[in-house]
Amino acid sequence: MRVAAINWRIRDIRRRDGFFEHLAELVEQAAAQGAELAVLPELAVLELLGLDPELPPEDVPTFLAAFAEEFELEAGKLAARHGLTLCAGSHFRRERDVLNVSITAFPDGMTRYQPKVKLTSYERDVWKLGRGQHLEPANPPLGVTICYDCEFPESGRKLAESGVLIQCVPAFTETKRGFQRVRWSCHARAIENQIYVVHSSLVGSLGREPAPQSFGSSAILAPCIEPFPESAVLAETARGEEGVAIADLDLQMLLLAREQGDVRNWNDRAPEW
């Protein structure tokens, strides 16, 4: 399976079509390189705040949730148009509360939603978001953990035990420390569950809250065992720059490495601990 991890750089837009054109442009770049799965970052919809530069930070989720239906429809259209699976990062969606939720759109028209389960203090205290109650595979072998969710070992284990071999991690991190927490956690999930992890980052700046800055790169990661590279990085974008990282994932090779590798973390896991 050919996979794309998309590094999305926030643009200064003044019309809603500018955001949706940006979305289509990046998915088209991935599709042009033969991607069968493309992963966008967390909350790329923050770019739409260019429509209301004076909006108070606490009103951001409600304002952006108004675009949820259009965003979800566009994600579905792009998946169908390009014949790929699109993990469309995450966006705000109103249910009982406003949630930070990921949509995965499949080329056959099927969609799956995954709300963020673990919220950061900003999401709880300023945005006052609701949270998801559990993780479910998007459609094995795919699963999604939104940013902070990937920092908990039980999240990756839950997905892996449900048949997930590719964990998608849409992320938005404002600092180098935040980026490293997510990236190192992605490496850890790949090692302990012997799976591939696709980490996609939002970069750039609105010049104000809730995105005074952002930091990161996007990468496709493998377990740190043979026959994968010693770095365990299959492809990576330039840090802080918009771009698309592409890699071919061999699921059968991954399963063989689980069974025959010099370490067998997956088979040697200890549920009783």
Side-chain angles (χ1 to χ4, degrees), residues 6-24:
I6 296 174
N7 224 45
W8 178 309
R9 186 173 180 83
I10 295 170
R11 293 180 183 173
D12 182 16
I13 65 162
R14 291 293 182 265
R15 57 188 182 88
R16 63 193 293 155
D17 287 351
F19 168 77
F20 289 102
E21 289 165 4
H22 192 186
L23 169 64

Side-chain angles (χ1 to χ4, degrees), residues 173-205:
T173 45
E174 293 185 353
T175 66
K176 185 175 182 179
R177 284 191 178 94
F179 166 72
Q180 289 179 161
R181 282 194 302 270
V182 173
R183 175 59 59 82
W184 295 344
S185 294
C186 288
H187 277 294
R189 304 296 81 82
I191 290 167
E192 65 201 13
N193 297 312
Q194 295 188 297
I195 60 173
Y196 296 112
V197 179
V198 184
H199 174 200
S200 293
S201 293
L202 186 67
V203 298
S205 171

Side-chain angles (χ1 to χ4, degrees), residues 75-110:
K77 289 178 183 177
L78 289 168
R81 182 184 308 155
H82 296 294
L84 53 70
T85 297
L86 178 60
C87 174
S90 79
H91 62 291
F92 293 110
R93 188 173 198 255
R94 179 173 288 283
E95 296 184 2
R96 179 186 299 178
D97 301 305
V98 178
L99 305 176
N100 181 355
V101 64
S102 177
I103 178 175
T104 301
F106 297 87
D108 63 0
M110 182 177 70

Side-chain angles (χ1 to χ4, degrees), residues 196-226:
Y196 296 112
V197 179
V198 184
H199 174 200
S200 293
S201 293
L202 186 67
V203 298
S205 171
L206 291 171
R208 60 186 173 91
E209 291 291 352
Q213 62 180 3
S214 56
F215 189 94
S217 66
S218 296
I220 302 162
L221 311 175
C224 194
I225 53 174
E226 291 185 352

Side-chain angles (χ1 to χ4, degrees), residues 15-146:
R15 57 188 182 88
R16 63 193 293 155
D17 287 351
F19 168 77
F20 289 102
E21 289 165 4
H22 192 186
L23 169 64
E25 175 188 326
L26 287 172
V27 175
E28 286 166 6
Q29 285 183 32
Q33 297 179 71
E36 299 165 79
L37 167 67
V39 183
L40 293 168
E42 179 183 26
L43 295 181
V45 292
L46 291 175
E47 189 170 277
L48 284 162
L49 293 178
L51 303 179
D52 189 349
E54 304 303 320
L55 187 73
E58 60 270 20
D59 294 339
V60 163
T62 300
F63 175 79
L64 292 178
F67 296 93
E69 183 176 0
E70 186 176 3
F71 179 77
E72 292 163 9
L73 285 171
E74 187 62 22
K77 289 178 183 177
L78 289 168
R81 182 184 308 155
H82 296 294
L84 53 70
T85 297
L86 178 60
C87 174
S90 79
H91 62 291
F92 293 110
R93 188 173 198 255
R94 179 173 288 283
E95 296 184 2
R96 179 186 299 178
D97 301 305
V98 178
L99 305 176
N100 181 355
V101 64
S102 177
I103 178 175
T104 301
F106 297 87
D108 63 0
M110 182 177 70
T111 55
R112 291 287 184 270
Y113 293 91
Q114 177 59 63
K116 194 171 188 176
V117 176
K118 298 289 188 182
L119 302 180
T120 64
S121 57
Y122 192 91
E123 289 173 313
R124 289 194 312 269
D125 300 339
V126 177
W127 282 346
K128 301 189 185 305
L129 298 181
R131 69 179 188 88
Q133 299 302 309
H134 56 273
L135 292 172
E136 294 291 345
N139 190 28
L142 299 180
V144 181
T145 48
I146 301 171

